[in-house]
Amino acid sequence: MSTRTLVRGGLVITAAEETHADVLIEDGRIAALAAHGSAAADAWTADSTIDATGKYVIPGGVDAHTHMEMPFGGTFASDTFETGTRAAAWGGTTTIIDFAIQSKGGSLGEGLDTWHAKADGKCAIDYAFHMIMSDVNESSLKEMDRLVSGGVSSFKLFTAYPGVFLSDDGQILRAMQRAGSNGGLIMTHAENGLAIDVLVEQALARGERDPRYHGEVRHALLEAEATHRVIKLSQVAGAPLYVVHVSAQQAVAELVRARDEGLPVYGETCPQYLFLSTDNLAEPDFEGAKYVCSTPLRPAEHQAALWRGLRSNDLQVVSTDHCPFCFKGQKDLGKGDFSKIPNGMPGVENRMDLLHQAVVDGHISRRRWIEIACAAPARMFGLYPQKGTITPGADADIVVYDPAAEQVMSAATHHMNVDYSAYEGKRVTGRVETVLSRGVPVIDSREYTGHAGHGAFVPRGLGEYAH
Ligand code: URP
Ligand code: ZN
Ligand code: ZN
């Protein structure tokens, strides 16, 4: 027997348009949209009706960059797939793409199996995987083809973290060539890790040990240099490129130049680079450690270039790079030595609200909000139109969003498994009210009604942006 749900009376916002329409959901998929009060909409009957009068009806968010339970610096990111996807749902995100990791000496397949074992049966919302390649060799290059056809169609390579994740230029070029032929998308963490390690050593020798030096040694020009380099490598390989967590205005300039030349080069930034700055890294009493992530937060002057890039489509996606570590017991591994602070920040629950605040503040339009947070990540990573929009046939991943509600972000009220909020005390306008994942309420009028195991692994196709 089929199940029908109606979402009545809201303003439906997609990346393409805004329509005063009712939405009919049948068996977890969007069946139809029709104008409020139209004969078609009035004739619909359903098992349950959600009143969205005065609210936005938007696609569930697609967060294309998370790290649940990621091992880093001798510890693990504090959100499990269970806690992290529950928090994502609270924040209006209905799909995450997390990073499985190939260990050195291991295969891509082993890394993927490990991440499936962590996630399968645990998630509140749907999930997919990218693959981090830490050991590019003949065998892992061959394996890339099998991953692409199995729905893991993107690969992250690092020019940073020597001895851990860093690939040399030859390895990056080879992976790009392979992606150029199998349709995969190469993602890069672009910072010059070898040069950064020299600056780290010199800073520590001078006695510069506080969290703020993390931002100084990870110099903006070393992000720009690596961004330029991976762009050129992708040009030589004839493969598209997606640069993750762009924070420096000089790196944005490299992307703009490449795109002006017509290259298939794409960029992602994150809320922390749009809303926070080196002022946070400089907070006293080791509080700055809460904001240690890589690429690092930059001086506030860099934010204008990021907002401009998002408006001009030189940056296409805002993801969170959610990788939380508790202030007590994890971040403090780096007390007295900033280079030992686990890199990463929480944010999976905050992204949709912060970007709505950007609409309120006039940085972006409502449709651009949906584009950069839902539609573009879905298209970029082969999930569209199953995810990222509201159209007949799409999964009924829908958020009823109250644009007038006021909230104050705080660790006391958030659902992420981490003992601080990077946005503690920040007042924002707008709040998630109800969240459907494939038609099933996960958040119902601000009550959690989901459960671990509802979320399914979603095999992805090829990215549409790049092909
Ligand atoms: O600091 C960060 N970004 N931690 C997560 C790993 C990464 O490089 O994305
Ligand atoms: Zn990274
Ligand atoms: Zn990351």
Side-chain angles (χ1 to χ4, degrees):
M1 222 181 60
S2 78
T3 313
R4 286 156 66 101
T5 304
L6 255 172
V7 184
R8 283 226 192 260
L11 175 66
V12 177
I13 308 174
T14 67
E17 56 202 2
E18 302 186 358
T19 331
H20 292 277
D22 297 346
V23 182
L24 178 65
I25 297 165
E26 202 160 15
D27 294 333
R29 296 236 173 119
I30 301 190
L33 286 87
H36 303 321
S38 62
D42 285 350
W44 286 339
T45 55
D47 306 290
S48 58
T49 299
I50 297 168
D51 180 9
T53 308
K55 312 281 160 56
Y56 297 161
V57 177
I58 60 173
V62 177
D63 190 340
H65 190 152
T66 67
H67 300 280
M68 307 303 172
E69 303 176 45
M70 181 188 179
F72 194 104
T75 186
F76 286 84
S78 58
D79 260 320
T80 62
F81 278 88
E82 182 168 351
T83 62
T85 57
R86 191 164 61 213
W90 273 104
T93 284
T94 51
T95 308
I96 59 162
I97 313 181
D98 203 88
F99 287 83
I101 302 181
Q102 174 203 21
S103 45
K104 278 213 185 298
S107 68
L108 302 189
E110 284 162 356
L112 196 54
D113 289 348
T114 305
W115 255 255
H116 271 297
K118 288 178 199 252
D120 294 355
K122 311 279 183 11
C123 294
I125 54 160
D126 288 353
Y127 60 100
F129 292 127
H130 312 284
M131 189 79 220
I132 286 179
M133 294 185 73
S134 354
D135 200 348
V136 178
N137 54 46
E138 273 314 311
S139 145
S140 58
L141 285 165
K142 280 205 192 90
E143 268 194 290
M144 287 173 75
D145 302 355
R146 194 165 55 77
L147 263 71
V148 171
S149 35
V152 177
S153 52
S154 42
F155 303 87
K156 183 178 178 191
L157 287 111
F158 290 71
T159 61
Y161 304 126
V164 187
F165 292 128
L166 182 137
S167 295
D168 66 31
D169 294 350
Q171 290 173 311
I172 293 173
L173 181 69
R174 280 184 198 279
M176 286 172 168
Q177 287 170 329
R178 196 83 189 193
S181 68
N182 66 24
L185 179 60
I186 297 296
M187 315 165 77
T188 52
H189 176 136
E191 290 184 287
N192 187 325
L194 293 165
I196 286 168
D197 274 7
V198 171
L199 298 183
V200 169
E201 196 186 304
Q202 293 169 346
L204 292 174
R206 284 193 298 271
E208 297 169 351
R209 297 182 160 264
D210 291 343
R212 73 188 169 98
Y213 295 108
H214 171 83
E216 295 192 7
V217 298
R218 301 188 89 90
H219 205 290
L221 292 179
L222 296 177
E223 183 187 344
E225 182 278 323
T227 304
H228 179 82
R229 185 162 24 113
V230 293
I231 288 169
K232 290 299 154 198
L233 291 172
S234 74
Q235 194 176 1
V236 169
L241 171 69
Y242 177 93
V243 184
V244 300
H245 49 52
V246 174
S247 67
Q249 60 189 0
Q250 296 91 332
V252 178
E254 295 293 343
L255 291 169
V256 170
R257 189 172 311 126
R259 293 179 57 76
D260 287 349
E261 288 173 22
L263 297 175
V265 167
Y266 308 96
E268 158 201 281
T269 192
C270 311
Q272 52 269 35
Y273 307 123
L274 296 163
F275 290 92
L276 304 171
S277 74
T278 43
D279 291 352
N280 300 97
L281 265 178
E283 285 177 15
D285 302 325
F286 195 63
E287 293 273 323
K290 294 176 176 174
Y291 309 94
V292 164
C293 60
S294 296
T295 60
L297 302 187
R298 303 292 181 194
E301 303 84 82
H302 290 249
Q303 291 168 359
L306 298 174
W307 288 120
R308 199 178 317 115
L310 286 171
R311 281 192 297 272
S312 64
N313 203 38
D314 286 309
L315 296 172
Q316 292 74 30
V317 172
V318 176
S319 307
T320 57
D321 195 6
H322 177 77
C323 189
F325 296 101
C326 288
F327 184 57
K328 291 203 166 35
Q330 293 192 292
K331 287 287 186 182
D332 48 18
L333 291 169
K335 234 177 186 154
D337 179 351
F338 68 85
S339 72
K340 296 204 164 57
I341 300 169
N343 283 202
M345 284 179 55
V348 76
E349 190 172 348
N350 306 127
R351 182 184 68 128
M352 297 297 285
D353 288 330
L354 287 166
L355 291 176
H356 180 260
Q357 186 60 37
V359 174
V360 172
D361 293 343
H363 290 296
I364 50 172
S365 68
R366 283 195 293 221
R367 275 175 279 165
R368 189 66 184 153
W369 169 42
I370 302 307
E371 176 88 44
I372 62 183
C374 311
R379 270 199 222 103
M380 187 74 68
F381 295 108
L383 290 167
Y384 195 87
Q386 183 184 356
K387 307 290 187 188
T389 192
I390 298 178
T391 195
D395 284 354
D397 291 357
I398 289 184
V399 175
V400 176
Y401 195 83
D402 183 348
E406 303 275 331
Q407 59 166 312
V408 178
M409 292 180 168
S410 172
T413 49
H414 76 199
H415 303 86
M416 298 176 283
N417 184 37
V418 60
D419 62 359
Y420 73 95
S421 169
Y423 305 97
E424 189 65 42
K426 185 172 175 64
R427 221 165 249 288
V428 295
T429 304
R431 198 175 64 173
V432 167
E433 193 172 282
T434 289
V435 177
L436 306 180
S437 164
R438 283 178 279 107
V440 176
V442 182
I443 306 290
D444 190 351
S445 306
R446 298 210 53 77
E447 290 283 320
Y448 182 69
T449 52
H451 64 90
H454 165 79
F457 173 71
V458 191
R460 295 181 289 117
L462 301 184
E464 258 180 65
Y465 256 93
H467 295 274

